[in-house]
């Protein structure tokens, strides 16, 4: 009478598991390096599983980070690695920017991208449900922190020639009216540093539960309280 648990926890099987994992990760790294078109097919079929591994298997964190691929605002539908992203960062950029959402089409239209696009900063599209957990396990890459463009006060400095005249963009009275009208429907109403063309957007607190994560948890029938969001108004919008 041999239990399944006895076999699963056997030292020999543990050694086989470790060897198989190392071999598979090495093979995937070789395909990604030598045959990127083939790796795109692998990623499109199994990328979500590899990202799940990043969340569940800390012993292979570095190897899995090297295998991660993303589409982005600059990639024209092609996959890029985190190493590609960092290598292409313009001077002055100090973070890796990303946006999570339900689909690539939806996030590509988001007004939250505007400040990054204006400065030529690439934004990664994270549209798999597992991505919300991945970013929790990937706070930085090569000393570059990962930052969501939909959370917190995204302060990306303007180019000197594009800096607005503060005397013409003081919307303090409008913000006060917005707070009075909306009351507890929002957490705050503030001037936006991320918008360049759109009139307004809603953002989440820094480090808080994102609206996309709320959507995923509710779809899984989890009891998630709706959180107040912050309304940002574009001071330069007519």
């Amino acid at each position: 009478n041999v239990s399944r648990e006895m076999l699963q926890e056997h030292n020999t099987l543990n050694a086989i598991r470790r060897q198989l994992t190392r071999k598979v990760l090495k093979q995937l790294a070789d395909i990604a390096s030598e045959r990127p078109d083939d790796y795109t097919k692998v990623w499109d079929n199994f990328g979500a599983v590899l990202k799940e591994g990043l969340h569940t298997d800390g012993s292979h964190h570095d190897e899995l980070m090297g295998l991660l691929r993303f589409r982005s605002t600059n990639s024209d539908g092609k996959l890029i690695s985190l190493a590609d992203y960092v290598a292409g960062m313009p001077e002055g950029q100090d973070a890796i920017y990303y946006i999570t959402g339900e689909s690539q089409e939806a996030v590509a239209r988001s007004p939250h991208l505007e400040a990054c696009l204006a400065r030529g900063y690439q934004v990664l599209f994270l549209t798999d449900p597992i991505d919300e957990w991945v970013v929790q396990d990937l706070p930085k890459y090569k000393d570059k922190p990962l930052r969501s463009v939909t959370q917190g006060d995204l302060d990306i400095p303007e180019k000197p020639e594009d800096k607005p005249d503060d005397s013409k963009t003081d919307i303090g009275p409008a913000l006060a009216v917005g707070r009075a009208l909306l009351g507890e429907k929002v957490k705050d109403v503030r001037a936006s540093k991320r918008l360049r063309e759109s009139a307004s957007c809603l953002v989440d607190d820094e480090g808080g539960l994102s609206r996309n994560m709320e959507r995923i948890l509710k779809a899984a029938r989890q009891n998630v309280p709706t959180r107040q969001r912050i309304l940002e108004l574009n001071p330069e919008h007519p």
Side-chain angles (χ1 to χ4, degrees):
N1 182 17
V2 180
S3 72
R4 183 176 61 190
E5 287 75 15
M6 285 178 61
L7 289 175
Q8 289 175 334
E9 295 171 7
H10 197 280
N11 287 338
T12 301
L13 282 182
N14 287 334
I16 292 172
R17 182 184 299 113
R18 288 193 297 270
Q19 286 288 349
L20 280 174
T21 302
R22 280 198 289 266
K23 290 281 187 182
V24 169
L25 292 176
K26 175 67 167 59
Q27 182 71 19
L28 289 173
D30 289 344
I31 294 172
S33 173
E34 299 167 10
R35 309 197 315 269
D37 289 342
D38 288 341
Y39 188 70
T40 294
K41 298 174 186 176
V42 173
W43 182 261
D44 286 340
N45 282 282
F46 303 107
V49 180
L50 291 172
K51 286 188 278 191
E52 184 178 345
L54 188 70
H55 182 64
T56 59
D57 185 359
S59 60
H60 296 94
H61 195 267
D62 291 343
E63 296 99 314
L64 288 166
M65 275 201 302
L67 293 173
L68 294 178
R69 295 293 185 272
F70 306 93
R71 291 176 172 86
S72 75
T73 51
N74 294 18
S75 69
D76 195 26
K78 297 180 180 178
L79 294 173
I80 65 165
S81 65
L82 289 172
D84 294 333
Y85 182 103
V86 171
M89 287 170 59
E91 185 178 353
Q93 183 178 347
D94 57 5
I96 297 170
Y97 293 98
Y98 69 88
I99 182 170
T100 60
E102 192 168 1
S103 69
Q104 183 174 322
E105 293 74 21
V107 296
R109 296 192 302 266
S110 173
H112 300 87
L113 302 173
E114 291 177 1
C116 286
L117 296 180
R119 287 303 309 268
Y121 294 174
Q122 189 167 197
V123 182
L124 301 176
F125 295 153
L126 277 60
T127 55
D128 285 327
I130 189 63
D131 287 331
E132 288 285 356
W133 285 268
V134 167
V135 293
Q136 297 175 26
D137 297 291
L138 194 64
K140 63 181 180 179
Y141 176 78
K142 291 188 177 179
D143 296 324
K144 303 292 184 183
L146 269 72
R147 289 209 61 192
S148 169
V149 298
T150 66
Q151 291 183 301
D153 192 3
L154 192 68
D155 189 4
I156 297 179
E158 297 273 3
K159 296 177 182 177
E161 62 271 21
D162 296 333
K163 195 173 175 93
D165 183 351
D166 291 339
S167 65
K168 297 179 181 179
T169 57
D170 179 12
I171 59 169
L175 299 178
V177 170
R179 294 185 190 108
L181 286 173
L182 295 172
E184 296 184 357
K185 293 180 180 179
V186 295
K187 184 172 183 179
D188 193 14
V189 181
R190 69 188 182 198
S192 180
K193 298 176 182 176
R194 78 187 75 219
L195 295 175
R196 296 297 185 271
E197 298 174 5
S198 301
S200 64
C201 68
L202 288 167
V203 302
D204 300 304
D205 271 336
E206 184 75 45
L209 194 68
S210 71
R211 182 51 57 98
N212 188 53
M213 178 68 102
E214 278 187 21
R215 178 186 63 79
I216 293 169
L217 294 176
K218 287 178 179 178
R221 301 186 182 279
Q222 299 291 319
N223 186 18
V224 183
T226 300
R227 298 165 187 264
Q228 291 176 319
R229 305 177 79 195
I230 300 163
L231 174 64
E232 290 191 348
L233 302 180
N234 182 356
E236 298 181 74
H237 195 279

